[in-house]
Amino acid sequence: MINIKAKTDEFYKYDKIRNKDNTYNKEKLWLIYLRNMHIIFFAFLAFIYINQSSWQTDGDPTGEEYLLTFVTVSEILIILFSILTKFTPKKRVRTKHTFNFRNKNEVIGFLLATLVCVLISFSYTTMMDFPSALLSLVFLFNGIFVFLSLIIHPLIIYLYEVNVFEKDQHSVLDFTFKYIAIFVSSINYYVQRELSELPFLLNKFLALIFAIIWMFHTLFFMGIFDS
């Protein structure tokens, strides 16, 4: 049976040796997370506002009230998570994402991953218009990985890292999986990555709290639209 934790440790040890300049400064990590998560959050808001015409107006609460709750919860989560990263042990390196769009296979892989996600998101257009339907995909699949992480935490982290940070990626399929993994599970990965450094019971407690909050957060997002 594969020891996932040992494999993950081995992956990080090897990755640290060959990519010394490709890791985050641990002291500034909380600021980096704070910045990056706000960039993602504002991108989400842009997608939501593009489809403002499909917001719920007749319900109680209305779409605007759901949006206010969504924004409030998002900000609280971002700030709390950034503070948490200030105090996690950080025994392992934090590898940066790398994007080399001079590589033809990576460009094709990125485009294929985007196409796959867009096509799947069309199944949600009965509930909301595109491109907000793309966000449904993000919430749904990250939610699946959030709950799986309660049971197979190390495996979820390992699978993401192998697909995204592995440097021996050459084929179009390798890069397609890389960008699909980033799109559908990166939010969960970064939360679980920090929680994995905490003592077991605290890890599981916070992971459970995160799973519950994520579930309600998804409902707040869905409530914005007149489905």
Side-chain angles (χ1 to χ4, degrees), residues 30-195:
W30 72 279
L31 286 173
I32 294 169
Y33 279 163
L34 189 65
R35 179 200 64 194
N36 291 351
M37 286 188 293
H38 272 104
I39 291 172
I40 294 171
F41 173 59
F42 289 131
F44 277 30
L45 284 183
F47 276 33
I48 292 171
Y49 270 98
I50 287 173
N51 299 131
Q52 188 173 5
S53 60
S54 63
W55 288 6
Q56 183 178 181
T57 55
D58 300 327
D60 184 21
T62 64
E64 288 186 356
E65 291 170 329
Y66 273 115
L67 178 63
L68 178 60
T69 306
F70 176 80
V71 170
T72 303
V73 173
S74 296
E75 278 296 325
I76 292 173
L77 283 175
I78 290 172
I79 292 171
L80 288 179
F81 178 67
S82 299
I83 293 173
L84 173 67
T85 60
K86 181 77 174 173
F87 299 101
T88 50
K90 303 178 187 63
K91 297 175 184 177
R92 298 178 186 145
V93 297
R94 301 298 194 270
T95 308
K96 297 178 182 178
H97 287 99
T98 57
F99 308 100
N100 180 16
F101 289 122
R102 294 180 180 178
N103 183 329
K104 182 179 71 173
N105 284 348
E106 182 154 6
V107 172
I108 296 173
F110 171 76
L111 293 175
L112 282 176
T114 302
L115 178 62
V116 168
C117 293
V118 167
L119 290 176
I120 295 175
S121 72
F122 282 151
S123 63
Y124 295 95
T125 53
T126 56
M127 296 182 289
M128 63 193 69
D129 295 335
F130 187 85
S132 293
L134 271 173
L135 301 185
S136 295
L137 205 63
V138 174
F139 278 100
L140 174 64
F141 281 95
N142 270 282
I144 292 172
F145 286 110
V146 165
F147 282 96
L148 286 176
S149 296
L150 293 172
I151 307 169
I152 48 175
H153 191 180
L155 178 60
I156 296 300
I157 293 175
Y158 176 72
L159 289 175
Y160 183 90
E161 290 169 350
V162 167
N163 280 296
V164 175
F165 298 128
E166 176 56 54
K167 299 305 175 184
D168 297 325
Q169 294 173 321
H170 303 290
S171 70
V172 170
L173 195 59
D174 288 338
F175 291 114
T176 302
F177 281 126
K178 170 183 176 177
Y179 287 104
I180 289 177
I182 290 173
F183 187 79
V184 303
S185 62
S186 58
I187 296 175
N188 174 66
Y189 166 76
Y190 280 103
V191 173
Q192 303 300 337
R193 184 67 194 81
E194 295 305 316
L195 294 183

